[in-house]
Amino acid sequence: MKVDGKNTRTIWVENDGTCVGIIDQTLLPHRFATIKLKTLDDAVRAIKTMQVRGAPLIGAAAAYGVWLALRADASDENLERAYAALLATRPTAINLKWALDQMLAAVRNRPRAERVAAAFKRAGEIADEDIAINQAIGRHGLKIIEEVAARKKGARVNVLTHCNAGWLATVDWGTATAPIYLAHDKGVAVHVFADETRPRNQGASLTAWELGHHGVPHTVIPDNTGGHLMQHGLVDLVIVGTDRVTAQGDVCNKIGTYLKALAAHDNKVPFYVALPSPTIDFSVSDGLSEIPIEQRSPDEVATMTGKTKDGRIETVQIIPDGSPVANYGFDVTPARLITGLITERGVIQANREALAAAFPERAKLAS
Ligand code: MRU
């Protein structure tokens, strides 16, 4: 997508071919800055501190992290060390493990002298594949938006989304946003309600920023507003992203997604999940009991960071001194609440049979 008219991906290899460039997402929306990752430790830190975040981008960053590690030392021991260090960065998004397994398979059985080149090639492919997957998700999701637009005789289609499943969460295009960008570019009147997504505010700071840069009409709403909008017929459909989908179609995504799914169900608003296949975890079935939910620092809940009127970035405490805090990063939406999964192979139902039929090679590997 474009930043100030310039085509930009969220991750790239720098021109000198020795390090990886990323957008520091912790500074958005108030500052756009890029940083260079030169070592495994840099990649680990970037994922942990959420300079890069979003399931597909975490996977791509981890893949490049393996390349950076092997550039320093291509031994088996260092490969294992890199795999373990990167895997430990964030527990919920399965794309991380998927990408690391891909990297392991690409380099493990090669002589040391070939490993760096093989890792570079596979990391680049993972990044490029992510873009192709998201574009395909966009094409399938576009049909859904166009159907609503036709039913509404061209009146604007209101899509509600949660967190940031936009291009910033992927290498490009985004998952939930890909159909929206395609619809907008095609001239379909589309408007997005972006949940602010406390505590880290990815909706307010990232989704709003990227939609604004692409010229997509949008409104940022407090997290608790979606139900009210749905009761008043102001949301035509919900499209969210996901960090892990189980073999039976349960969807894990940013905390608060489940409440939106419940509200959508109660109000008969279609609830879609944009799902790139690396986000499917066929090794687990019951999302509630089997997906590890990341718990993050209490500080994220206890404070808020923003821009003051005179342009300074400041962090302020918003709870009483000493009040305990809980900070669960994700929740699980049961398959029964999901209208459809928008995958790169088409829109499918959220159930075991449909997932296995759409991705037989992945389902077979896990069985
Ligand atoms: O904690 P984050 O910002 O990494 O969480 C991101 C989300 O929950 C996204 O919705 C999900 O990763 C899908 S990204 C296409």
Side-chain angles (χ1 to χ4, degrees), residues 10 105 138 153-154 159 200 203 240 277 316 327 331 364:
T10 55
K153 302 192 177 15
V159 182
R200 286 190 70 99
V240 297
S277 59
V316 293
N327 189 9
D331 61 26
K364 213 167 148 201

Side-chain angles (χ1 to χ4, degrees), residues 50 53-56 90 163-165 169 175 202 242-243 253-254 330:
M50 295 176 66
R53 30 67 53 202
R90 296 196 67 190
C163 193
N164 173 259
T175 59
Q202 290 96 325
T242 172
D243 292 83
N253 192 47
K254 181 54 57 191
F330 299 90

Side-chain angles (χ1 to χ4, degrees), residues 97 120 124 146 241:
K97 182 170 186 305
F120 182 77
E146 284 181 323

Side-chain angles (χ1 to χ4, degrees), residues 4-311:
D4 298 332
K6 193 177 154 215
N7 276 330
T8 312
R9 287 184 175 192
T10 55
I11 191 162
W12 59 90
V13 177
E14 293 286 354
N15 285 338
D16 66 5
T18 66
C19 57
V20 175
I22 58 164
I23 300 165
D24 182 350
Q25 299 194 17
T26 61
L27 302 180
L28 288 172
H30 304 302
R31 218 179 118 209
F32 180 86
T34 62
I35 47 175
K36 291 181 182 173
L37 311 179
K38 298 181 177 162
T39 63
L40 168 66
D41 287 351
D42 289 347
V44 166
R45 195 176 322 110
I47 300 173
K48 251 190 190 155
T49 62
M50 295 176 66
Q51 288 174 315
V52 287
R53 30 67 53 202
L57 180 56
I58 291 170
Y64 276 116
V66 172
W67 171 60
L68 292 172
L70 294 179
R71 274 178 55 81
D73 170 2
S75 66
D76 282 353
E77 298 70 38
N78 201 42
L79 180 59
E80 275 166 34
R81 194 175 73 90
Y83 184 102
L86 289 160
L87 188 64
T89 51
R90 296 196 67 190
T92 302
I94 196 64
N95 304 58
L96 175 62
K97 182 170 186 305
W98 174 86
L100 289 171
D101 287 342
Q102 294 287 313
M103 294 300 288
L104 208 56
V107 301
R108 191 176 28 203
N109 296 325
R110 289 180 183 273
R112 284 183 190 198
E114 290 176 13
R115 283 183 174 176
V116 175
F120 182 77
K121 181 166 174 285
R122 189 66 195 113
E125 287 167 357
I126 286 172
D128 289 346
E129 283 163 17
D130 178 61
I131 296 174
I133 286 173
N134 298 336
Q135 286 173 326
I137 286 173
R139 287 191 294 275
H140 296 300
L142 171 63
K143 288 188 205 136
I144 297 170
I145 295 178
E146 284 181 323
E147 275 165 27
V148 178
R151 212 171 48 237
K152 292 184 79 175
K153 302 192 177 15
R156 79 176 191 180
V157 178
N158 291 303
V159 182
L160 184 141
T161 192
H162 190 69
C163 193
N164 173 259
W167 73 266
L168 289 168
T170 65
V171 179
D172 206 349
W173 284 95
T175 59
T177 53
I180 294 166
Y181 286 129
L182 284 184
H184 174 80
D185 290 354
K186 223 179 146 183
V188 179
V190 61
H191 164 266
V192 178
F193 285 114
D195 283 352
E196 63 175 346
T197 320
R198 277 285 289 154
R200 286 190 70 99
N201 298 322
Q202 290 96 325
S205 56
L206 303 179
T207 304
W209 182 83
E210 61 164 269
L211 291 172
H213 273 260
H214 198 79
V216 179
H218 62 279
T219 306
V220 179
I221 51 172
D223 285 326
N224 298 324
T225 308
H228 168 79
L229 294 178
M230 291 184 213
Q231 284 176 321
H232 290 270
L234 296 171
V235 177
D236 296 302
L237 72 157
V238 179
I239 311 179
V240 297
T242 172
D243 292 83
R244 197 185 297 212
V245 170
T246 71
Q248 69 182 23
D250 294 340
V251 166
C252 184
N253 192 47
K254 181 54 57 191
I255 193 83
T257 303
Y258 169 54
L259 291 177
K260 293 299 136 68
L262 283 175
H265 190 256
D266 194 42
N267 291 284
K268 301 188 175 45
V269 173
F271 185 94
Y272 287 97
V273 177
L275 168 63
S277 59
T279 309
I280 306 169
D281 184 353
F282 278 105
S283 75
V284 295
S285 281
D286 178 34
L288 272 183
S289 62
E290 293 180 81
I291 297 179
I293 300 296
E294 177 176 14
Q295 293 194 46
R296 297 187 58 87
S297 162
D299 287 351
E300 292 181 350
V301 179
T303 66
M304 281 187 88
T305 300
K307 189 164 75 173
T308 61
K309 281 200 172 123
D310 57 1

